Amino acid sequence: MENNEILKKYAALAVKVGVNIQKGQTLILNSPIECAHFARMISETAFEEGAKDVVINWNDEISSKIRYMKAPEEIFDVVPEWQKEFYTSYAREGAAFLSISASDPEVMKDVNPERIARFQKSRRSALKEYSDRLMSNKNTWSIVSVPTEAWSKKVFPGVSTEEAIEKMWNSIFKIVKVDKEDPVAAWEEHKNTLEKNMKILNDYNFKYLYYKNSIGTDLKIELPKGHLWLGGADKTQDGIEFIANMPTEEVFTLPLKTGVNGIVVSSKPLNCNGNLVENFSLTFKDGKIVDFKAEKGYDSLKHLIETDEGSHYLGEVALVPHDSPISNSNIVFFNTLYDENASCHLAIGKAYPVCIKNSDHMSEEELEKAGVNISLVHDDFMIGTADLEITGVTYDDREIPVFRNGNWAF
Ligand code: ZN
Ligand code: ZN
């Protein structure tokens, strides 16, 4: 077991900087049972910081797998009313939501992907109000990771379980800056660096971005009028700052729903609900995915894309330099929270409404009119490479290098 001092520092970072818990606020914590030790530390810190209550949702991926394998078909179309009520009512009363993301990347390998897709769709429909609130920063939320046995062994094969977990802890501590003397100050500095590039991109107000690299990506993305680049800290409408992903290395915005054309090739495996999708490509016409290929995990990708109308379109454009801490670690984590922050990425599905100006006052129909994609899913996939070139085109037709050789050109 890692020494408790550094774990406590990590728990404090997640509670104070991640969700930035406020006095009298309730914290909902989603945790795998294997991460109980860390979850208890989170709970302790949250109460010490003045939380009114900490409610823990324990989950166990092996039990979920058993359910997917053995349960009768019809249960995958239903989500009990109380589960919907749980998330929705806590969200409405202004709770903070913290999730520990740590799963065996291939836990669902033997499960029929159709069952997973059916249940994910039912769950996402039932929890729509809750996830809409989080995606529009009405509640504070954050995701952090803690090593589990199966996940660590997949990332560090060929060493003992203890050694793999140890290596995983050390990587995580380094990447989320818990190894620093003052992690909170280190995050403050990091936020400022991201804000610098965010500001440059917002000032250019690009109309298009062109992507090109040697693995076959040749893509043109139109950005909607009024788009905003965001990065680092998020803010609720009441002005409470939080960091939705720890780590975060990205600056991101949304594409115009109908403005994506060309082909994009994946650069890292995608963990899609417990199945890996590898070496895949997507072809777009007027925003829509009109063709796709995958060397591995084709069915999982197909179910994701066919979830609803919006899952045939993109909802996020995110820029991460190739020369960045996670990417330089040369570790593939098979976990989107980590891999997406090592690589430029896009997301299939819903766009963050906060990426468009004045979204607070817009209905779902108005958002769609402004070019914001609406879907039940939002799944990031990685496309960044060491030779990726991105060129921005301004409204007065100037071509500005944004990325050269995988890194910021500014
Ligand atoms: Zn992202
Ligand atoms: Zn995303």
Side-chain angles (χ1 to χ4, degrees):
M1 183 54 62
E2 281 306 311
N3 84 53
N4 277 340
E5 259 346 279
I6 192 156
L7 281 182
K8 275 189 186 154
K9 250 168 120 178
Y10 186 25
L13 189 72
V15 171
K16 292 195 221 171
V17 179
V19 289
N20 187 9
I21 199 83
Q22 303 292 301
K23 294 218 175 353
Q25 193 181 21
T26 298
L27 176 67
I28 310 300
L29 174 61
N30 295 308
S31 173
I33 49 173
E34 211 185 317
C35 308
H37 182 69
F38 185 69
R40 291 177 197 124
M41 284 186 170
I42 293 271
S43 163
E44 221 175 335
T45 315
F47 280 120
E48 281 163 13
E49 289 299 308
K52 179 169 79 177
D53 201 0
V54 178
V55 183
I56 308 183
N57 257 331
W58 298 107
N59 53 68
D60 172 34
E61 60 188 5
I62 308 285
S63 303
S64 303
K65 179 184 175 177
I66 293 169
R67 185 170 182 262
Y68 277 130
M69 303 280 289
K70 308 274 182 186
E73 209 59 42
E74 65 269 19
I75 67 141
F76 301 111
D77 294 325
V78 229
V79 172
E81 199 53 38
W82 67 265
Q83 275 181 9
K84 179 179 166 177
E85 185 60 25
F86 175 90
Y87 285 98
T88 314
S89 61
Y90 277 121
R92 283 183 191 159
E93 75 160 62
F97 293 85
L98 180 62
S99 298
I100 298 175
S101 158
S103 64
D104 174 353
E106 292 191 285
V107 64
M108 301 300 170
K109 203 169 55 183
D110 303 325
V111 176
N112 175 357
E114 204 206 311
R115 290 187 152 215
I116 303 177
R118 263 173 80 175
F119 187 60
Q120 288 297 330
K121 190 170 178 182
S122 313
R123 204 178 137 78
R124 283 163 165 157
S125 311
L127 303 187
K128 185 173 182 300
E129 182 182 336
Y130 154 78
S131 65
D132 280 356
R133 287 187 63 101
L134 267 56
M135 284 187 83
S136 1
N137 295 351
K138 289 198 170 79
N139 291 75
T140 54
W141 58 281
S142 189
I143 311 175
V144 297
S145 282
V146 166
T148 55
E149 251 186 64
W151 180 29
S152 306
K153 279 162 84 169
K154 174 82 189 177
V155 177
F156 298 105
V159 298
S160 71
T161 307
E162 295 77 61
E163 203 180 323
I165 292 176
E166 178 79 23
K167 276 174 177 268
M168 193 68 133
W169 270 123
N170 288 335
S171 313
I172 288 179
F173 288 150
K174 207 168 158 212
I175 288 166
V176 296
K177 308 178 199 301
V178 187
D179 62 337
K180 295 267 180 354
E181 173 92 24
D182 184 351
V184 176
W187 270 88
E188 205 52 48
E189 195 187 314
H190 180 54
K191 274 184 337 202
N192 294 338
T193 319
L194 291 172
E195 273 163 21
K196 191 195 111 214
N197 290 323
M198 202 174 94
K199 187 173 179 319
I200 297 175
L201 290 163
N202 281 325
D203 287 349
Y204 275 120
N205 184 33
F206 289 121
K207 188 162 192 241
Y208 297 104
L209 293 178
Y210 284 98
Y211 287 66
K212 233 178 185 343
N213 67 13
S214 61
I215 58 170
T217 291
D218 189 350
L219 191 70
K220 181 180 172 186
I221 299 180
E222 186 172 350
L223 303 176
K225 284 210 173 79
H227 71 271
L228 290 170
W229 289 92
L230 304 174
D234 285 284
K235 233 183 219 169
T236 63
Q237 288 164 12
D238 309 326
I240 309 293
E241 219 177 67
F242 65 100
I243 307 258
N245 288 352
M246 297 190 103
T248 182
E249 301 289 337
E250 64 179 296
V251 175
F252 68 99
T253 189
L254 80 180
L256 177 72
K257 179 180 176 181
T258 53
V260 183
N261 284 285
I263 183 162
V264 69
V265 181
S266 71
S267 61
K268 283 178 192 287
L270 170 66
N271 179 351
C272 188
N273 301 316
N275 275 297
L276 287 179
V277 185
E278 291 180 62
N279 300 326
F280 60 99
S281 66
L282 308 172
T283 306
F284 294 88
K285 190 170 185 310
D286 300 328
K288 192 169 184 171
I289 300 171
V290 289
D291 192 20
F292 56 94
K293 296 188 175 71
E295 270 175 31
K296 193 181 162 188
Y298 179 85
D299 283 346
S300 297
L301 182 63
K302 181 170 150 59
H303 285 299
L304 174 68
I305 292 171
E306 290 177 356
T307 305
D308 56 17
E309 168 69 10
S311 55
H312 292 78
Y313 294 82
L314 295 181
E316 180 183 330
V317 178
L319 304 179
V320 180
H322 192 69
D323 182 9
S324 64
I326 309 175
S327 172
N328 289 341
S329 75
N330 277 322
I331 301 167
V332 176
F333 283 91
F334 306 103
N335 174 313
T336 302
L337 175 63
Y338 274 70
D339 293 330
E340 71 167 308
N341 283 302
S343 172
C344 283
H345 56 270
L346 303 169
I348 288 177
K350 187 173 161 71
Y352 285 96
V354 285
C355 289
I356 201 126
K357 276 180 199 156
N358 301 321
S359 61
D360 288 6
H361 312 289
M362 288 164 134
S363 66
E364 201 157 89
E365 290 70 39
E366 288 169 318
L367 287 169
E368 270 197 297
K369 248 194 189 152
V372 179
N373 188 28
I374 310 284
S375 170
L376 289 174
V377 302
H378 174 99
D379 272 38
D380 291 11
F381 62 98
M382 286 59 75
I383 62 162
T385 53
D387 66 347
L388 181 64
E389 310 240 306
I390 306 172
T391 302
V393 179
T394 61
Y395 276 87
D396 54 359
D397 287 328
R398 280 180 298 143
E399 293 195 2
I400 312 288
V402 177
F403 265 55
R404 286 293 176 266
N405 298 318
N407 290 311
W408 290 108
F410 307 138

